[in-house]
Amino acid sequence: MVNTSVQLSSLHLDNPVIPASGTFGFGYEFAELYDINILGSISLKGTTREPRFGNPTPRIAECTAGLINSVGLQNPGIDQVIEHEIPKLSECYSKPVIANISGFAIDEYVECCAKADKVDKIGMIELNISCPNVHNGGMSFGTSCQSAYDVTKAVREVTKKPLFVKLTPNAPNIAEIAAACEKAGADGISLINTLLGMRIDLRTRKPVIANVKGGFSGPAVFPVALRMVYEVYEAVDIPIMGMGGVSSAADVIEMMLAGASAVQVGAANLKDPYACKNIIEELPKEMEKLGIENLSDIIGGAH
Ligand code: SIN
């Protein structure tokens, strides 16, 4: 019997497979399809202080081996998430979850994280400084070392929960941003969020996405994400949650060899709601095939 469990900061996970924020709602929506307790954890829909309707439609553009989204952080706001969404999820999911906190100003991130800190069910905060679909805040915090440092440091002061910072690949040097977050007190790094992209409708000769640009994700970005996880692993001494185009158990193993302690699955959930279940079921077989007994032994093994 192979051992798929991993340690992610203070969280012990049965397996490293976690649905990525924004691709799995608040989790309970999937409980009617299968027993979601098989998941390592769940990263909840990106949450802001105020409720948000999100960007105008169309918000999605299909691409070869991926898609572009410009959802714009649609969510019911932190208070609703704490009062309604998390209790609903707790009815069908027994493990700690990851709160993905987004914002437009440091005080907003701080307020949301302080509220999340008081919720037992939240085992980890994923500070999202990488959303490419909002005009201020979001990704702009993740493209300079100073702003990444400032927001991480401010949030660190209001929570003792494990704090992972989710980074954008649209930064000049993601490894330097990761190091700045570590210096500010982050317990880990999540990467990568989506790559900025666009499509043009040949018939109308106008951008497909109402907001013009959006975040590109899916299997096409996997080699880019892998390269960035590899680089960040060499730049920091804190654990990494790797993501970006992961769609098979083999991808999970490759991501862990690059340096990830756990792996998030994003766009694959939009194509197939059973994607995480299939990957979790495949993982032991893939490990046996590759002669891996303990999954945690391979973290960073490619370095
Ligand atoms: C969105 O809601 O626009 C996507 C969230 C993200 O990319 O962080």
Side-chain angles (χ1 to χ4, degrees):
M1 262 291 266
V2 295
N3 179 5
T4 59
S5 69
V6 292
Q7 192 68 29
L8 185 67
S9 204
S10 60
L11 294 191
H12 184 77
L13 310 182
D14 297 336
N15 66 71
V17 180
I18 300 169
S21 176
T23 66
F24 212 73
F26 288 98
Y28 59 80
E29 300 91 333
F30 287 72
E32 61 189 57
L33 300 180
Y34 64 91
D35 179 6
I36 59 173
N37 285 292
I38 61 167
L39 300 165
S41 183
I42 300 172
S43 182
L44 306 181
K45 175 84 192 84
T47 300
T48 51
R49 185 171 60 190
E50 262 67 61
R52 284 181 57 79
F53 186 73
N55 288 337
T57 56
R59 297 168 167 183
I60 300 287
E62 291 199 30
C63 309
T64 306
L67 81 159
I68 294 173
N69 92 80
S70 178
V71 173
L73 297 174
Q74 179 178 346
N75 78 94
I78 187 75
D79 294 334
Q80 283 288 320
V81 169
I82 290 172
E83 278 162 40
H84 298 289
E85 306 297 337
I86 292 180
K88 241 164 138 174
L89 174 57
S90 299
E91 286 169 18
C92 52
Y93 188 67
S94 60
K95 300 175 184 174
V97 297
I98 302 170
N100 181 289
I101 302 295
S102 301
F104 299 86
I106 290 185
D107 68 327
E108 192 179 338
Y109 278 107
V110 166
E111 199 178 319
C112 288
C113 290
K115 287 183 176 176
D117 185 68
K118 296 190 175 62
V119 180
D120 287 344
K121 184 75 177 166
I122 297 175
M124 177 177 288
I125 292 175
E126 186 173 57
L127 192 67
N128 183 356
I129 58 168
S130 47
C131 175
N133 299 328
V134 288
H135 290 302
N136 51 1
M139 186 176 90
S140 65
F141 282 102
T143 47
S144 104
C145 289
Q146 189 61 50
S147 50
Y149 177 91
D150 290 346
V151 66
T152 306
K153 184 129 182 69
V155 164
R156 178 73 290 170
E157 278 162 26
V158 297
T159 182
K160 293 211 164 27
K161 290 196 192 280
L163 176 64
F164 276 56
V165 186
K166 184 167 178 180
L167 298 186
T168 172
N170 306 306
N173 185 332
I174 198 168
E176 282 178 9
I177 308 275
C181 295
E182 181 181 32
K183 199 163 148 219
D187 297 300
I189 304 292
S190 291
L191 75 148
I192 60 172
N193 204 321
T194 52
L195 286 143
L196 206 52
M198 71 178 288
R199 297 299 308 267
I200 293 172
D201 184 323
L202 299 184
R203 212 174 24 84
T204 62
R205 303 183 183 184
K206 293 281 182 288
V208 172
I209 300 261
N211 216 21
V212 182
K213 292 174 269 183
F216 179 49
S217 60
V221 311
F222 181 72
V224 178
L226 193 76
R227 185 264 294 175
M228 290 189 171
V229 167
Y230 188 92
E231 287 176 356
V232 167
Y233 183 83
E234 302 215 329
V236 299
D237 291 318
I238 48 179
I240 294 169
M241 264 192 285
M243 74 202 78
V246 173
S247 46
S248 67
D251 291 347
V252 170
I253 291 173
E254 201 172 336
M255 209 37 124
M256 293 182 75
L257 286 168
S261 295
V263 177
Q264 293 191 8
V265 176
N269 296 315
L270 305 177
K271 193 169 161 222
D272 176 6
Y274 294 95
C276 287
K277 179 177 188 286
N278 294 339
I279 292 172
I280 290 166
E281 285 169 3
E282 277 304 307
L283 196 52
K285 293 178 220 162
E286 197 66 30
M287 287 170 65
E288 271 165 26
K289 206 167 87 190
L290 295 166
I292 301 166
E293 264 176 47
N294 283 304
L295 197 51
S296 58
D297 290 346
I298 69 161
I299 297 165
H303 291 258

